Amino acid sequence: MEDIVRRLAEVVVRQQRFSEQLAQRQEQTDQVVGLLRESAAARVPLPDARSTAHQLMTKLTAQDDIEAYLHTFEVIATREACDKAEWAKILAPFLTGEAQRVYVALLSPASVDYDALKREILARLGLSPISAAQQFHQWSYEDQVLVRAQAARLSRLVQLWLLAGEPSASQVAERVVVDRLLRALPRRCRTTVGMKGPTTLREVVEAVELAEASAARDTGERAWAPPRRVNPAWRPQEGTSRPVPRPAAATPPDEPMPTEPSSHGPPAWLAGCAVHQAVPSGAPRRTVRVEGRPVTATLDSGSSVTLVQPGIVQPRAGGRSSIPITCVHGDTRNVPSRQVTVAAGPGSWTLEIVIVDDLPVPMLLGRDWPGFDQLLASTVRPASRELRGRKARSRKERRPRPVLLATESEKEGEPRPKPSPKNSS
């Protein structure tokens, strides 16, 4: 038994010695590995993050979406284990246009901060939280754009507005309440509160209370008015009474005109005096085409409907057989009508013309024809130029000629005045 105990003790001692030897060898191995790593790092430099980014990214173009471009850069910088303190310097060579101007405008300490640079770039390009909120409220559905693209755009605006700065759920709800309260305020109060730029509900309430108190105080105060200056020259003399203003005359009541349409039935068209009397000889006339046929038409600016004789256009069969017309004298009657095409210099249009049996001219073109004003102007202007030419020629013809005066000169060719006979008395 004692022999067994002695052998076990020897085995335990040998195991302890073996463990101590293993620990010493492990320590020596770790020291060697550390020295090898230090020497390898000194000989082989680590890759530069900027050179890696140049291989994986391209310059920003006008067609690129700035938010998607910055998101792509963040993904690449995170995967390549780039130091975030160097992100702004790594991104700078890839910026162009407005984003590049933002980087140059920032101060040196701010330009090193990537988050500040990103926030300023998005704000310059209209993607700040305030701009996103405005665009969200102005958003409307477009039929020509795919609904998936519109939904993505709307979701992006909401995230820019409500999730900027990684807020909590309560802060998101507070942003919605603040925006709704600001939009519901009266315009005067909303302008005053908006100038303070409140971001929390408490700041909004305090700003509104201050604006209401200021408005109430301004209402109670009486505005100061400067003293009124009176001209002494216009001051009435003492003992004289001031002139009493005459009472204003009462406005006469409105009376219906003879051409006022009746309240019953369709309204009557206003026709010119050609229905009752002959057309003056100096009235403007032009040749137009009615359904392709040339017709001499008299232009009447006082008629709102076009009139023709039955020989030019025959009444149509069936449908609406007549329409009411009213002369400026108040005479109203129903006459047949027909839809025809009238063409002239300004163009060709289809309209409803009235057929009058006792019309003194073949056709009376009214203002219902769309090209009436242009046709009338082209007809009147040449006549006006011709009349001005006639007047100018008549003035030239009546110009007095110079009178040759007789002199006492004895030069050849000049008459000599004869002595006037003296009256013998």
Side-chain angles (χ1 to χ4, degrees), residues 130-153:
I130 298 178
S131 300
Q134 186 70 19
Q135 296 178 28
F136 173 78
H137 289 286
Q138 294 178 353
W139 180 87
S140 60
Y141 184 79
E142 300 179 6
D143 298 335
Q144 295 80 10
V145 184
L146 296 177
V147 62
R148 189 178 297 274
Q150 298 190 61
R153 171 66 178 172

Side-chain angles (χ1 to χ4, degrees), residues 284-299:
R285 292 180 173 84
R286 286 295 295 269
T287 300
V288 300
R289 290 188 173 272
V290 180
E291 297 294 341
R293 296 172 51 192
V295 179
T296 301
T298 302
L299 308 183

Side-chain angles (χ1 to χ4, degrees), residues 8-9 28 44 74 94 106 167 187 200 248 280 361 392 412:
L8 289 175
Q28 293 175 358
V44 182
E74 294 172 1
F94 300 98
L106 290 176
R187 183 175 182 179
T200 62
V361 292
E412 184 179 1

Side-chain angles (χ1 to χ4, degrees), residues 240-302:
T240 60
S241 59
R242 294 184 177 182
V244 180
R246 299 176 60 184
T251 305
D254 295 336
E255 297 182 0
M257 299 297 293
T259 56
E260 184 176 1
S262 174
S263 58
H264 303 283
W269 293 89
L270 180 63
C273 289
V275 178
H276 289 85
Q277 61 188 11
V279 179
S281 59
R285 292 180 173 84
R286 286 295 295 269
T287 300
V288 300
R289 290 188 173 272
V290 180
E291 297 294 341
R293 296 172 51 192
V295 179
T296 301
T298 302
L299 308 183
D300 187 4
S301 60

Side-chain angles (χ1 to χ4, degrees), residues 144-195:
Q144 295 80 10
V145 184
L146 296 177
V147 62
R148 189 178 297 274
Q150 298 190 61
R153 171 66 178 172
L154 189 61
S155 176
R156 175 185 175 185
L157 292 176
V158 173
Q159 292 179 5
L160 287 174
W161 170 32
L162 298 178
L163 302 183
E166 299 181 358
S168 60
S170 59
Q171 291 176 341
V172 172
E174 188 177 25
R175 289 183 181 181
V176 176
V177 174
V178 168
D179 181 80
R180 185 67 184 90
L181 182 59
L182 288 176
R183 294 180 181 276
L185 291 175
R187 183 175 182 179
R188 176 181 55 81
C189 186
R190 182 171 63 250
T191 304
T192 306
V193 175
M195 294 177 62

Side-chain angles (χ1 to χ4, degrees), residues 6-329:
R6 187 175 61 255
R7 290 181 178 179
L8 289 175
E10 293 177 354
V11 171
V12 171
V13 172
R14 285 198 298 269
Q15 288 180 350
Q16 290 178 354
R17 291 176 180 176
F18 183 72
S19 298
E20 292 176 358
Q21 293 176 358
L22 288 177
Q24 292 177 358
R25 291 180 180 179
Q26 181 67 31
E27 185 177 357
Q28 293 175 358
T29 304
D30 292 341
Q31 292 177 358
V32 172
V33 171
L35 294 175
L36 292 175
R37 288 181 177 177
E38 291 178 359
S39 61
R43 290 193 304 268
V44 182
L46 295 176
D48 188 7
R50 299 182 184 181
S51 61
T52 305
H54 277 281
Q55 297 175 1
L56 301 176
M57 292 191 63
T58 59
K59 275 186 171 293
L60 178 66
T61 61
Q63 291 74 23
D64 292 334
D65 184 271
I66 183 61
E67 190 180 9
Y69 185 86
L70 295 178
H71 178 72
T72 304
F73 169 77
E74 294 172 1
V75 172
I76 294 176
T78 303
R79 187 186 65 183
E80 297 297 326
C82 299
D83 188 8
K84 191 172 183 180
E86 302 291 331
W87 280 16
K89 296 181 180 180
I90 298 173
L91 179 64
F94 300 98
L95 298 178
T96 59
E98 187 65 26
Q100 189 180 50
R101 287 190 287 270
V102 170
Y103 179 81
V104 174
L106 290 176
L107 299 177
S108 297
S111 61
V112 177
D113 187 4
Y114 172 78
D115 293 334
L117 177 62
K118 177 182 177 180
R119 183 167 54 253
E120 185 65 21
I121 290 176
L122 295 179
R124 288 282 190 93
L125 299 179
L127 295 176
S128 62
I130 298 178
S131 300
Q134 186 70 19
Q135 296 178 28
F136 173 78
H137 289 286
Q138 294 178 353
W139 180 87
S140 60
Y141 184 79
E142 300 179 6
D143 298 335
Q144 295 80 10
V145 184
L146 296 177
V147 62
R148 189 178 297 274
Q150 298 190 61
R153 171 66 178 172
L154 189 61
S155 176
R156 175 185 175 185
L157 292 176
V158 173
Q159 292 179 5
L160 287 174
W161 170 32
L162 298 178
L163 302 183
E166 299 181 358
S168 60
S170 59
Q171 291 176 341
V172 172
E174 188 177 25
R175 289 183 181 181
V176 176
V177 174
V178 168
D179 181 80
R180 185 67 184 90
L181 182 59
L182 288 176
R183 294 180 181 276
L185 291 175
R187 183 175 182 179
R188 176 181 55 81
C189 186
R190 182 171 63 250
T191 304
T192 306
V193 175
M195 294 177 62
K196 299 182 178 297
T199 57
T200 62
L201 185 60
R202 180 178 179 180
E203 294 178 355
V204 174
V205 172
E206 292 177 354
V208 172
E209 292 176 349
L210 181 60
E212 292 179 348
S214 300
R217 183 173 60 253
D218 294 341
T219 304
E221 296 178 355
R222 183 178 180 180
W224 177 82
R228 186 178 179 182
R229 300 181 60 181
V230 180
N231 191 353
W234 294 97
R235 182 175 296 175
Q237 299 179 359
E238 296 182 2
T240 60
S241 59
R242 294 184 177 182
V244 180
R246 299 176 60 184
T251 305
D254 295 336
E255 297 182 0
M257 299 297 293
T259 56
E260 184 176 1
S262 174
S263 58
H264 303 283
W269 293 89
L270 180 63
C273 289
V275 178
H276 289 85
Q277 61 188 11
V279 179
S281 59
R285 292 180 173 84
R286 286 295 295 269
T287 300
V288 300
R289 290 188 173 272
V290 180
E291 297 294 341
R293 296 172 51 192
V295 179
T296 301
T298 302
L299 308 183
D300 187 4
S301 60
S303 178
S304 61
V305 64
T306 300
L307 312 176
V308 296
Q309 293 178 348
I312 306 299
V313 177
Q314 297 295 330
R316 62 183 176 183
R320 188 175 61 173
S321 59
S322 64
I323 61 174
I325 62 171
T326 301
C327 177
V328 294
H329 298 91

